[in-house]
Each structure stands twice: as structure tokens, then as C-alpha cells.
Amino acid sequence: MFALAYEALDVQELSGKLGPGLDAGALVCFEGRVRNHHQGRAVRGLDYEAHEALALAEGEKILIEAHARFAVSAACVHRLGSLGLGEIAVWVGAAGSHREESFAACRWVIDEVKARVPIWKREYYVDGDPVWQHPQA
């Protein structure tokens, strides 16, 4: 399940929807949050935008690849719109038989999402004009 959301994420609900079955011995989750700095500049908030159709399609491909590569169930939700400091911008969960593949899958999914999914962020700085950039920064 790859999704885009304009509302705050409920990580307990997301973890429950991933629903590790009785065969899953591990559930690993990652929360990417809006931080108050970037490359030495103070950040006061940001916006995320996406090419939604392409983002959903590419995100699903990544999750299918994660299942094939790591034998886990995986999910990812990325926020869009305006976010404040400390808010969750992206959530990834991976449930597998063991922690090793669950941790590896979770890390792999977030790295692939940042590299391949067409989502951009506009950071608002305390000391100047906002800047658009790919979210891997």
C-alpha cells in the first residue's frame, strides 16, 4: 500500500493496517519528520507537492519490489501540502519473519521513495525566500 495524504498521519492506524500476521516476527517502522534546519539554515515549515498519478504508480512498484526482494509486507504514506516543524512527512512500515529483512526493507523503501517518486518540497527559511527541492535533501 503506497498512499499520499493531506492530513496528519496516524502511525498506530498505519501499523495496524500493515497487519503483520502470525508469521511475522518483526514490524519495523520509519517516520520522517520536518526538522528545523537544512544545510545550516533555520527552517520554519515546508510544503510537499507531487505528480500524484506517477507518484502512486512508482510508489506501488517500489513496494512490490520490496516484497520480492525481502519477503516482507511493506507500506508507505507520504504527506502532501503544508507541514509544520515536527510533523510526520513520510511513514514506512515493513513486516517480515525476522528483524534483519524487516529493517533492510524499511531502509530500502525510504531510499527508493526519495530517489524515484516525483515528490518535491518547498522549504520556508527563517532568514529568506523559500526554496523548492527534491525531498532527498
Side-chain angles (χ1 to χ4, degrees), residues 52-109:
E52 292 189 36
L54 290 178
L56 291 168
E58 192 63 28
E60 280 299 325
K61 285 181 192 175
I62 291 167
L63 297 178
I64 290 167
E65 290 171 28
H67 177 70
R69 180 182 284 235
F70 300 99
V72 298
S73 297
C76 179
V77 181
H78 203 297
R79 287 284 306 276
L80 298 179
S82 297
L83 282 77
L85 298 178
E87 285 192 70
I88 298 171
V90 60
W91 179 89
V92 177
S97 293
H98 303 284
R99 67 182 176 270
E100 184 175 340
E101 64 264 19
S102 299
F103 274 109
C106 193
R107 170 101 190 217
W108 185 85
V109 168

Side-chain angles (χ1 to χ4, degrees), residues 8-93:
L9 303 181
D10 180 337
V11 296
Q12 189 168 4
E13 180 183 345
L14 291 169
S15 294
K17 283 184 179 179
L18 185 56
L22 296 178
D23 61 336
L27 171 62
V28 175
C29 300
F30 168 79
E31 297 175 9
R33 294 179 175 258
V34 179
R35 63 184 180 267
N36 68 355
H37 66 280
H38 179 72
Q39 296 181 344
R41 295 181 73 187
V43 172
R44 59 183 171 85
L46 54 82
D47 295 333
Y48 280 105
E49 289 188 8
H51 186 300
E52 292 189 36
L54 290 178
L56 291 168
E58 192 63 28
E60 280 299 325
K61 285 181 192 175
I62 291 167
L63 297 178
I64 290 167
E65 290 171 28
H67 177 70
R69 180 182 284 235
F70 300 99
V72 298
S73 297
C76 179
V77 181
H78 203 297
R79 287 284 306 276
L80 298 179
S82 297
L83 282 77
L85 298 178
E87 285 192 70
I88 298 171
V90 60
W91 179 89
V92 177

